[in-house]
Amino acid sequence: MFGVKKLIILVLALILRNKMKSLLVICALAFLCGVLAKNKTDGKVKIAVYYESLCPDSKKFITGQLAPVWRDMRGLLKVKLVPYGKSTRDKINEKWEFNCHHGAEECYGNKVQACILKDRKLQDTEKMDLVICLMGQTNPDKSLDTCLEQVGKSAESSKLKKCADGAQGDSLLASYGDKSDLVQRPLAFVPTVIINEKFDQALQDESMTNLKTVVCRVAPNKPSICN
């Protein structure tokens, strides 16, 4: 398979020799852009966490394992957070109704985090900091303002609460339910942690107590912190 540099040289050479029709040039360049975009995430360890806002095991994992690893290796990681867990949902009279593992408060907490994760004005680092902060609170569903203040984003409070209280929050949580169902319906354990897009029970178990070791072992480009 061509390396990126070789592919660039090949495409440019063919263009310069006028041996490609315009449509083929466009297709080749589109493919090249796809390769380059993919390359941006190459070398990163992908961690997907399927969790619940009020789940003690989820809180322990996110604050005790994911948070320190992310802070020490954020350039090495691509993290996906899915706040849904073992919840169920039904659409009744065009409105979503949720039944969450730890009650209605957890449904609201999940929606708050869903709204944070999908907020276009928040940076990825801010989203992670907010989720980590919320999961470190005794009542994550009631601690949005505390965590927004901590990351300097108090101005986002009204918008995020409106999202969580309304149809937007319902829709976002339902979409996270779809993502969770693709893994397993219902999830056997929360949090479910998937490394590099493939579930492995041994890695799941090890990640609960030593995520750093797992990341260091599977990382293609090991940082100095792994030594």
Side-chain angles (χ1 to χ4, degrees):
M1 188 173 186
F2 288 113
V4 174
K5 290 183 179 179
K6 288 184 178 179
L7 188 57
I8 292 173
I9 293 170
L10 176 63
V11 171
L12 291 175
L14 290 171
I15 292 173
L16 291 172
R17 292 175 186 174
N18 295 316
K19 291 186 177 181
M20 295 179 69
K21 294 181 179 180
S22 60
L23 181 59
L24 291 177
V25 173
I26 292 171
C27 291
L29 290 176
F31 173 75
L32 179 58
C33 288
V35 171
L36 291 172
K38 183 178 183 297
N39 245 35
K40 290 181 180 179
T41 58
D42 285 350
K44 290 192 175 183
V45 177
K46 297 180 181 179
I47 303 176
V49 184
Y50 298 79
Y51 68 103
E52 299 165 343
S53 63
L54 299 189
C55 167
D57 288 326
S58 294
K59 294 172 70 175
K60 182 179 179 181
F61 173 76
I62 289 176
T63 59
Q65 295 297 323
L66 183 62
V69 169
W70 178 75
R71 286 171 178 149
D72 289 341
M73 307 182 187
R74 68 178 64 184
L76 180 69
L77 305 180
K78 185 175 179 63
V79 178
K80 179 172 77 172
L81 298 172
V82 184
Y84 187 82
K86 295 184 178 181
S87 305
T88 59
R89 65 199 180 282
D90 290 294
K91 202 165 194 179
I92 301 174
N93 297 325
E94 300 303 313
K95 180 176 173 58
W96 285 110
E97 293 191 8
F98 299 93
N99 182 8
C100 296
H101 193 198
H102 298 90
E105 292 84 2
E106 181 167 79
C107 289
Y108 183 72
N110 289 345
K111 290 178 188 178
V112 167
Q113 295 192 35
C115 291
I116 288 170
L117 293 168
K118 293 299 183 179
D119 192 304
R120 294 182 179 180
K121 288 190 176 181
L122 292 172
Q123 301 296 317
D124 287 345
T125 53
E126 294 168 340
K127 294 175 182 180
M128 281 295 298
D129 282 336
L130 283 169
V131 169
I132 290 167
C133 175
L134 286 168
M135 296 301 281
Q137 304 296 315
T138 302
N139 301 107
D141 57 309
K142 300 177 177 68
S143 304
L144 177 60
D145 287 334
T146 297
C147 292
L148 285 171
E149 182 177 1
Q150 181 172 306
V151 300
K153 288 293 178 178
S154 294
E156 303 297 310
S157 177
S158 295
K159 179 180 63 175
L160 290 170
K161 288 177 181 177
K162 182 178 180 181
C163 171
D165 287 328
Q168 184 182 5
D170 288 346
S171 178
L172 290 175
L173 188 57
S175 71
Y176 280 131
D178 293 339
K179 289 179 172 63
S180 298
D181 288 347
L182 290 175
V183 176
Q184 187 178 25
R185 183 177 182 181
L187 295 175
F189 182 79
V190 178
T192 290
V193 179
I194 297 179
I195 307 294
N196 287 338
E197 301 182 322
K198 182 179 180 181
F199 179 76
D200 183 299
Q201 187 64 58
L203 289 182
Q204 156 91 13
D205 294 343
E206 188 177 1
S207 295
M208 293 300 104
T209 57
N210 203 340
L211 180 63
K212 177 182 174 181
T213 296
V214 172
V215 171
C216 287
R217 187 165 63 247
V218 303
N221 302 311
K222 293 177 173 48
S224 60
I225 195 173
C226 289
N227 298 328

